[in-house]
Amino acid sequence: MSLPRLLVLSLGGTITMKRDPAGGIVPALGAADLVAAIPGLADVAEIEARSPLKLPSPSLTPTQIAGVAAEIRAGFKAGFDGAVVIQGTDTIEETAFALDLLIEDERPVVVTGAMRGPEAPGADGPANLLSAAIVAASAAARGLGALAVLNDEIHAARAVRKAHTALPSAFVSAAPGPLGLVAEGRARFHARLPRGPHFELPGGTDLPRVALAKMTLGDDGGLVAATPDLGYAGLVIEGMGAGHVPAEIADMVGYVASKIPVVLASRTLGGPVFTKTYGYAGSEIDLLARGLIPAGSLQGPKARLLLMFALAAGLDRDEVAAAFGVYR
Ligand code: ASP
């Protein structure tokens, strides 16, 4: 029987980084080097390795990820059975979600990386890449959208977040928890989530600027107030708790929401933004009545990407709200 065909795209990240004579580790290896270092991969899939980018992941952009999504969509048209994206762990929680929004296909798209470089003792890159390929080649992963696979755990793009700066177990999904795990060379799933909205934006599409502001104790809202004049087309506010801001700035937040779409997320580590519990000034009921759009259970950085793509696709306010409604 022929093996599944996987498209493996490397964008850089710690998994590719080697010591630089000038100090520290920097991106050096490409996808072909990483694949060649794991002989077991040849038993999992037939692999085409490409290295479109060689960047630390804090320097990736949504426009570049839209280009990666376009390359994967073209790869699927050409007959690949799945795709693996290798990149830095710092932004996997955002890029996996961006790919989830930008690729509407049953075939698995799996993002992976490493917390330790290839020259470090206990480097986790090879095991992560092998597990990612096992998931991408697995029939059980079809229809689940983009996934992040690290430390043998399989996370939904909408839920995954980096929760530690150093540990190989840095990735968590608050709710519903990981969708599954890889054990004995097999992807095992114990949960499935419905797919979210999709935006087929061509690579190279101009993306609108969307800002993210996190509320803090005694916040005077200066950054929120400045957002429209700074040329942002949209704003996500990470409110306190279930989606709250200080009472003193509620009027101003409502004013900004009358100028540009403003989405209300929570700065907590999990759970949905509320819609009908608290009634004080600056509460979720107050802010939603002032025109803010609830982000459901999407954390701020993911909500920012959804708002960015929805605005790029020309959605109006009600359509944007409906797109977020999927994540309640
Ligand atoms: N620490 C990061 C990583 O794991 C660096 C990056 O995101 O590129 O790859």
Side-chain angles (χ1 to χ4, degrees), residues 178-202:
L179 298 185
L181 85 160
V182 178
E184 296 185 310
R186 184 161 71 80
R188 301 147 193 260
F189 289 89
H190 37 254
R192 299 182 80 81
L193 290 175
R195 299 291 313 263
H198 291 104
F199 307 95
E200 190 153 328
L201 304 175

Side-chain angles (χ1 to χ4, degrees), residues 188-285:
R188 301 147 193 260
F189 289 89
H190 37 254
R192 299 182 80 81
L193 290 175
R195 299 291 313 263
H198 291 104
F199 307 95
E200 190 153 328
L201 304 175
T205 307
D206 270 343
L207 293 170
R209 294 170 68 220
V210 175
L212 171 61
K214 185 182 218 147
M215 286 294 110
T216 52
L217 194 69
D219 206 309
D220 68 2
L223 293 177
V224 172
T227 307
D229 288 342
L230 290 173
Y232 287 94
L235 169 67
V236 176
I237 294 179
E238 272 195 354
M240 295 135 164
H244 306 144
V245 306
E248 290 67 27
I249 69 169
D251 275 349
M252 180 276 292
V253 170
Y255 174 74
V256 172
S258 72
K259 299 280 165 207
I260 57 173
V262 180
V263 170
L264 181 64
S266 168
R267 69 173 197 178
T268 65
L269 295 182
V273 155
F274 284 5
T275 58
K276 55 179 189 181
T277 298
Y278 293 98
Y280 53 81
S283 69
E284 83 283 358
I285 290 180

